[in-house]
Amino acid sequence: DARDALLLARLLRMDEISPVRVPTVTEEAARDLVRAREDTRVDLLRARHRVSKLLLRHGHVYYGGNAWTGKHDRWLRSIRFDQPGTRAAYEADLEAVGFAVSRRDRLEQMIGQLAADSEFTPVVQRICCLRGVSTLTGFALAVEVGDWNRFTGASIGAYLGLVPTEHSSGGSRRQGGITKTGNSHARRLLIEAAWHHKARYVAGATM
């Protein structure tokens, strides 16, 4: 209303209004893609948990190595249940896992194409020079943050909620856990990359 407009005008005159960057249509489309991949990752994790818990309830435990590999998949397909209800539920859960994997692979292929040839490619290539950052992480960070020139090394941590909370009064200063404000997807990717970066560097096939 009129009073709000007057307040905004006063703040603008005092230079107290912070500019906000509006994402472009291309950036919004790219964000839809990486967030769809993130949703698929969560759906796949839940579907796999349902399969594992159902098998555990019926006494089936896998001891053949890492789970969700080709060998593990063959073991899953070999299990048979006598009760029709359990058999139908198990087949439905396996089917959900297969659908989620296909959807994830399709989205990751599209992300790889955009990361290799799009307006985000230069930023993705620079981010992927860091240890612990792959193409998927680099592309997601590039589109979620947008204009990296807005931030410094100190301000981007606050933007993504990676700085500690603070309760200070007078001469006392108390800090707690991170604020967890801002973009949760980008924050999770950076934390995962930091854990990968923490390990001792060993040259592999890629690097």
Side-chain angles (χ1 to χ4, degrees):
D1 56 12
R3 286 186 293 182
D4 292 333
L6 182 60
L7 175 60
L8 289 173
R10 289 173 176 169
L11 292 174
L12 182 62
R13 183 179 60 185
M14 294 185 293
D15 197 23
E16 290 294 329
I17 295 182
S18 301
V20 176
R21 181 182 178 276
V22 179
T24 64
V25 176
T26 306
E27 289 175 345
E28 286 287 4
R31 287 181 182 180
D32 290 338
L33 176 62
V34 298
R35 290 173 184 178
R37 193 265 175 190
E38 175 68 10
D39 293 339
T40 302
R41 183 191 68 83
V42 175
D43 293 341
L44 176 59
L45 184 63
R46 290 173 176 171
R48 285 175 170 176
H49 280 172
R50 287 195 297 269
V51 171
S52 299
K53 302 312 177 187
L54 189 148
L55 291 175
L56 189 61
R57 288 199 306 271
H58 291 272
H60 295 279
V61 181
Y62 180 68
Y63 295 106
N66 294 329
W68 309 112
T69 59
K71 183 180 178 181
H72 182 233
D73 182 70
R74 290 190 294 272
W75 178 78
L76 291 174
R77 305 290 175 183
S78 66
I79 296 176
R80 297 290 183 269
F81 291 97
D82 297 331
Q83 294 297 323
T86 304
R87 183 168 62 250
Y90 180 64
E91 291 174 353
D93 288 339
L94 276 184
E95 187 180 34
V97 170
F99 284 156
V101 169
S102 299
R103 192 163 63 248
R104 181 200 61 186
D105 294 343
R106 187 171 63 252
L107 293 172
E108 288 183 356
Q109 181 181 5
M110 186 61 186
I111 290 175
Q113 293 175 1
L114 290 179
D117 185 19
S118 68
E119 65 182 74
F120 309 104
T121 302
V123 178
V124 174
Q125 290 176 344
R126 289 196 289 270
I127 298 175
C128 287
C129 290
L130 301 173
R131 282 181 57 200
V133 178
S134 63
T135 301
L136 294 175
T137 301
F139 184 79
L141 290 174
V143 301
E144 292 289 356
V145 176
D147 183 11
W148 290 73
N149 295 319
R150 296 180 293 164
F151 305 106
T152 63
S155 62
I156 192 170
Y159 176 75
L160 296 176
L162 290 170
V163 296
T165 57
E166 183 171 336
H167 303 279
S168 301
S169 177
S172 65
R173 184 187 184 192
R174 292 183 300 166
Q175 290 183 317
I178 60 174
T179 60
K180 296 184 180 180
T181 59
N183 193 311
S184 60
H185 184 200
R187 181 171 61 254
R188 184 187 65 80
L189 291 175
L190 282 174
I191 293 174
E192 286 187 356
W195 278 109
H196 286 292
H197 184 85
K198 181 181 178 182
R200 184 174 64 88
Y201 175 71
V202 177
T206 304
M207 297 181 66

